[in-house]
Amino acid sequence: MKNRILGAIDIGSNAIRLLIANVEEYSTEIQYKKIAFLRVPIRLGEDVFSDKKSVGDNKKERFVQAMKGFTHIMKAYEVENYRACATSAMREAVNGEEIVKQVKEQCGLNIDIINGQEEADILFASGMQEITNISGSYLYVDVGGGSTEITVYKEGSKRESCSFPLGTVRILNDAVDKDEFKKFKKWLKKIAKKYAPETIIGSGGNINKIQKLLNKKDKEPIFFTELTILNNYVKSFSMEDRERVLQLNPYRADVIVPAMKIFLTVAKCCKINEIIAPKLGLADGIIKQLYLSSNS
């Protein structure tokens, strides 16, 4: 057996995540095991999706400090290779490239600002094949702070994918174009007619929290009616009571509602009754791509 330690940094619009994984090579299979995970709730999109259009000084300083910390942690774990990917907020920030350069100069960390299509492809690589039936039709839906990525997966292969500027932080900041949801629904109805997807595979911190609130086991389906009831229930609480009564963290208490709206919109437009949340995300996809690219 061979071991390889790889790192992935997901620079999202709502938070920054570091995943360190041990890839174990056996003669008959490859196993990916998480050995460290750290989430820092720096909401870059809060600045970018406002009139500022850039990451402000406070968040920029916190972000740089987080990257320094991630660099030290990866060295401590003896990570042999890593990739850091920045998504919606950084690709729209007018000072995004400037911040990438600053991080490189101060801690030697390389950051790739990826487009929506590459983000969808990385998400697809996170483990889709392991949780789907080869004869089925699925939608892989990742709801982030700045965008929503959807990949159509049918009969064992990827068919289509699209990225939409519909994210939880963007919605909270009233930074969504009024026609964007119309475009979103139109695309979903076209996909429903063409592929007849049966199941949504949900990705992102919000769907994982929704699964927990509904007391669902890992990969146990979340049904449309259950999500509708939960959505109305959570919305009935004030922000303070979402934190106090529902025990939601401050960085989750607000974004969970627009996240449920997006998932419900997808389910309704495509007439899908169930969502599965396998707890796979961008960082998982980065790890798998890193390993596969080094062995190709």
Side-chain angles (χ1 to χ4, degrees), residues 9-43:
I9 299 175
D10 169 9
I11 302 165
S13 302
N14 190 45
I16 321 296
R17 302 168 185 85
L18 168 66
L19 170 65
I20 298 175
N22 191 30
V23 184
E24 299 178 355
E25 301 176 349
Y26 297 92
S27 59
T28 55
E29 64 176 333
I30 305 298
Q31 291 189 7
Y32 298 86
K33 295 181 179 178
K34 178 174 72 176
I35 54 177
F37 181 79
L38 180 61
R39 181 187 191 278
V40 183
I42 303 173
R43 194 170 280 184

Side-chain angles (χ1 to χ4, degrees), residues 229-260:
I229 293 170
L230 180 66
N231 183 44
N232 293 331
Y233 179 66
V234 174
K235 286 198 297 184
S236 71
F237 287 87
S238 67
M239 202 62 63
E240 181 181 334
D241 282 346
R242 289 181 199 175
E243 296 175 26
R244 185 179 62 85
V245 180
L246 299 181
Q247 296 291 296
L248 295 175
N249 286 318
Y251 58 77
R252 185 68 62 203
D254 53 356
V255 294
I256 195 169
V257 169
M260 285 191 282

Side-chain angles (χ1 to χ4, degrees), residues 1-263:
M1 181 188 74
K2 294 181 181 179
N3 288 332
R4 300 187 61 189
I5 301 176
L6 302 176
I9 299 175
D10 169 9
I11 302 165
S13 302
N14 190 45
I16 321 296
R17 302 168 185 85
L18 168 66
L19 170 65
I20 298 175
N22 191 30
V23 184
E24 299 178 355
E25 301 176 349
Y26 297 92
S27 59
T28 55
E29 64 176 333
I30 305 298
Q31 291 189 7
Y32 298 86
K33 295 181 179 178
K34 178 174 72 176
I35 54 177
F37 181 79
L38 180 61
R39 181 187 191 278
V40 183
I42 303 173
R43 194 170 280 184
L44 299 175
E46 199 167 48
D47 286 355
V48 179
F49 307 141
S50 67
D51 293 337
K52 292 171 65 175
K53 307 298 182 188
S54 64
V55 178
D57 290 342
N58 176 265
K59 284 189 172 62
K60 181 167 68 174
E61 176 59 24
R62 290 175 60 204
F63 175 73
V64 172
Q65 292 302 322
M67 292 303 100
K68 288 179 180 178
F70 285 3
T71 302
H72 289 305
I73 291 170
M74 287 195 293
K75 285 179 180 177
Y77 274 94
E78 296 185 318
V79 169
E80 66 174 80
N81 197 10
Y82 75 92
R83 189 182 185 198
C85 293
T87 58
S88 188
M90 286 286 277
R91 64 178 171 249
E92 291 184 31
V94 295
N95 59 344
E97 293 291 349
E98 172 196 321
I99 295 171
V100 167
K101 185 179 179 182
Q102 183 179 345
V103 169
K104 175 65 175 176
E105 290 173 349
Q106 294 194 20
C107 53
L109 189 79
N110 293 306
I111 296 173
D112 297 326
I113 299 178
I114 61 173
N115 60 36
Q117 186 61 58
E118 185 173 4
E119 185 177 353
D121 290 343
I122 295 172
L123 285 162
F124 174 76
S126 66
M128 189 74 168
Q129 298 90 333
E130 299 161 21
I131 51 176
T132 55
N133 186 311
I134 198 164
S135 63
S137 182
Y138 304 84
L139 292 184
Y140 190 116
V141 181
D142 179 75
V143 177
S147 62
T148 292
E149 276 66 43
I150 301 182
T151 301
V152 185
Y153 188 81
K154 186 176 175 70
E155 294 175 350
S157 66
K158 171 189 168 185
R159 299 301 178 88
E160 292 187 38
S161 66
C162 197
S163 176
F164 296 89
L166 294 171
T168 57
V169 178
R170 197 187 293 271
I171 292 171
L172 287 175
N173 280 269
D174 294 321
V176 176
D177 186 280
K178 62 181 180 180
D179 293 326
E180 202 57 52
F181 262 104
K182 291 180 182 177
K183 294 176 186 176
F184 186 52
K185 291 176 182 178
K186 184 178 180 180
W187 185 85
L188 287 169
K189 288 175 182 176
K190 181 192 78 171
I191 289 299
K193 187 176 181 180
K194 190 173 180 180
Y195 298 105
E198 305 146 1
T199 303
I200 293 169
I201 298 175
S203 176
N206 286 297
I207 196 66
N208 295 337
K209 178 56 68 174
I210 288 164
Q211 183 182 51
K212 189 173 181 180
L213 287 171
L214 290 171
N215 294 315
K216 295 284 185 176
K217 296 176 183 177
D218 189 32
K219 299 179 186 177
E220 183 181 356
I222 298 166
F223 295 106
F224 181 83
T225 303
E226 293 176 316
L227 185 56
T228 302
I229 293 170
L230 180 66
N231 183 44
N232 293 331
Y233 179 66
V234 174
K235 286 198 297 184
S236 71
F237 287 87
S238 67
M239 202 62 63
E240 181 181 334
D241 282 346
R242 289 181 199 175
E243 296 175 26
R244 185 179 62 85
V245 180
L246 299 181
Q247 296 291 296
L248 295 175
N249 286 318
Y251 58 77
R252 185 68 62 203
D254 53 356
V255 294
I256 195 169
V257 169
M260 285 191 282
K261 178 181 179 180
I262 293 171
F263 278 111

